[in-house]
Amino acid sequence: SSAMAKSKFEYVRSFETDDTCLRNCYIVVRLDGRNFHKFAEQHHFTKPNDDRALGLMSKSAHSVMEGLEDITIAYGQSDEFSFVFKRTTTWFKRRASKLMTHVASQFSSSYVFYWKEFFGEQPLLYPPGFDGRVVLYPTNRNLRDYLSWRQADCHINNLYNTAFWTLIQKGGLTTTQAEDRLKGTLASDKNEILFSEFDINYNNESALHRKGTTLIWEKRDETVSKRIKRPNEEEKQVPVTRSRRKVEAYHCDIIGDQFWEEHPDVLEN
Ligand code: ATP
Ligand code: ATP
Ligand code: MG
Ligand code: MG
Ligand code: MG
Ligand code: MG
Ligand code: MG
């Protein structure tokens, strides 16, 4: 407060170090759930993918974006979510620790706040935590490669987990047997096991699980009906159309060009 501003203690402020993010770079904040392997077990997440948990992650990411319009795109899978700030953002004077902690705490509190909406009567056993990191990407190519890296990770893990849990749940193998069966296999081998032994075409599995969740802002024309009363006229309903920004979720490929061609506003120049 201003009363304290000139105290003899004020000098300690100068111990704070500068963590301003380089100008012109995209600022990426990635969060990851702490010890979620255990958290998933304790909260009886279905294997390999619990849709309640994925829904709650997306809802929490929505909540972060609604409060920070300078986040242009977010991508999530498993217990992680990445948030991309536009190049020109001046939020928190681009201070890395402020941006990161704001995202992490808004996300964590939303995860707890909305828990019941997704898990119903199943109790949250303890307060979950998320770690955060900040990475800067100077070019559109770098940023797209970053997001591609996360989606490729989603694909690799989900193909493995789908094969692993199918061998157990439908093939009757133990976890050790399933591990041995998949040791050293390529993606094509896993696809083949699923297809020839279990009649599963991996490409027909849920897009949410194969591709993760991409959140972007979209302009939507929203028409609401307004009651209007002019002097000497009867009250009437008239349609009023406004353009609103709304967070929209996609479960599609973001590695190829198509997504970026269809949403040219996400990347700047
Ligand atoms: P910023 O987002 O920049 O931190 P802020 O509104 O949180 O903005 P602060 O300088 O952090 O601003 O001040 C916190 C304010 O919250 C106080 O000025 C006071 O109005 C209010 N506040 C916090 N704790 C209490 C409390 N225990 N009792 C009454 N008011 C409180
Ligand atoms: P760390 O604290 O180092 O991040 P971690 O246990 O969270 O450790 P991660 O590599 O982040 O390890 O992996 C997250 C784990 O959480 C997954 O391996 C999986 O077991 C579990 N998990 C997360 N989300 C889901 C989900 N929607 N459905 C099922 N399991 C999930
Ligand atoms: Mg304060
Ligand atoms: Mg980790
Ligand atoms: Mg984790
Ligand atoms: Mg993780
Ligand atoms: Mg404050």
Side-chain angles (χ1 to χ4, degrees), residues 190-247:
K190 295 181 190 81
N191 274 304
E192 187 55 28
I193 290 173
L194 287 169
F195 191 70
S196 59
E197 294 179 33
F198 301 100
D199 212 22
I200 293 171
N201 183 341
Y202 181 73
N203 290 323
N204 296 337
E205 292 292 287
S206 138
L208 163 65
H209 302 160
R210 286 183 296 116
K211 303 294 182 191
T213 300
T214 303
L215 303 176
I216 55 174
W217 287 103
E218 251 165 42
K219 284 204 186 70
R220 281 284 161 84
D221 282 342
E222 197 182 72
T223 307
V224 289
S225 141
K226 268 204 165 170
R227 231 192 279 271
I228 292 203
K229 170 86 179 81
R230 291 208 176 84
N232 308 323
E233 270 180 45
E234 275 193 31
E235 185 179 272
K236 57 179 179 181
Q237 301 271 357
V238 287
V240 179
T241 303
R242 295 182 282 218
S243 172
R244 275 187 180 278
R245 260 158 63 94
K246 192 174 171 293
V247 176

Side-chain angles (χ1 to χ4, degrees), residues 28-205:
V28 175
V29 175
R30 181 166 80 254
L31 305 181
D32 185 282
R34 181 178 184 199
N35 214 347
F36 259 49
H37 183 75
K38 192 164 154 233
F39 184 86
E41 272 175 14
Q42 289 172 322
H43 292 87
H44 316 293
F45 283 16
T46 55
K47 289 291 172 188
N49 292 293
D50 189 301
D51 286 345
R52 298 167 303 176
L54 292 172
L56 180 54
M57 290 290 292
S58 280
K59 177 83 186 187
S60 306
H62 255 86
S63 155
V64 170
M65 279 180 85
E66 303 280 359
L68 275 171
E69 290 214 355
D70 281 1
I71 295 171
T72 53
I73 182 168
Y75 175 75
Q77 51 123 343
S78 182
D79 69 338
E80 69 169 61
F81 239 100
S82 298
F83 299 88
V84 180
F85 287 82
K86 67 179 187 186
R87 287 197 146 116
T88 53
T89 189
T90 53
W91 247 75
F92 288 124
K93 297 185 180 142
R94 297 177 73 86
R95 289 171 65 182
S97 57
K98 289 252 184 183
L99 290 167
M100 179 173 60
T101 55
H102 181 87
V103 170
S105 71
Q106 187 66 36
F107 190 93
S108 306
S109 64
S110 298
Y111 195 94
V112 173
F113 189 77
Y114 295 115
W115 173 266
K116 250 189 141 184
E117 212 175 279
F118 293 86
F119 284 87
E121 290 310 302
Q122 188 183 311
L124 178 61
L125 300 175
Y126 57 89
F130 294 82
D131 72 59
R133 72 190 74 188
V134 172
V135 192
L136 305 182
Y137 291 108
T139 69
N140 284 0
R141 188 72 258 167
N142 292 152
L143 180 72
R144 276 189 55 182
D145 286 347
Y146 169 78
L147 293 167
S148 298
W149 174 50
R150 298 326 302 151
Q151 190 167 58
D153 186 77
C154 174
H155 166 73
I156 292 162
N157 290 333
N158 192 58
L159 178 58
Y160 182 92
N161 291 336
T162 303
F164 181 78
W165 287 101
T166 302
L167 286 168
I168 292 164
Q169 291 162 352
K170 297 199 172 131
L173 267 60
T174 65
T175 51
T176 325
Q177 287 170 331
E179 254 167 43
D180 289 343
R181 183 71 208 282
L182 294 176
K183 205 164 277 171
T185 56
L186 306 172
S188 53
D189 301 323
K190 295 181 190 81
N191 274 304
E192 187 55 28
I193 290 173
L194 287 169
F195 191 70
S196 59
E197 294 179 33
F198 301 100
D199 212 22
I200 293 171
N201 183 341
Y202 181 73
N203 290 323
N204 296 337
E205 292 292 287

Side-chain angles (χ1 to χ4, degrees), residues 6-40:
K6 286 180 182 106
S7 79
K8 66 171 177 175
F9 309 118
E10 178 76 6
Y11 79 95
V12 294
R13 182 182 255 290
S14 68
F15 280 52
E16 289 183 20
T17 51
D18 180 48
D19 64 348
T20 309
C21 294
L22 186 66
R23 287 206 289 179
N24 294 345
C25 291
Y26 290 105
I27 303 169
V28 175
V29 175
R30 181 166 80 254
L31 305 181
D32 185 282
R34 181 178 184 199
N35 214 347
F36 259 49
H37 183 75
K38 192 164 154 233
F39 184 86

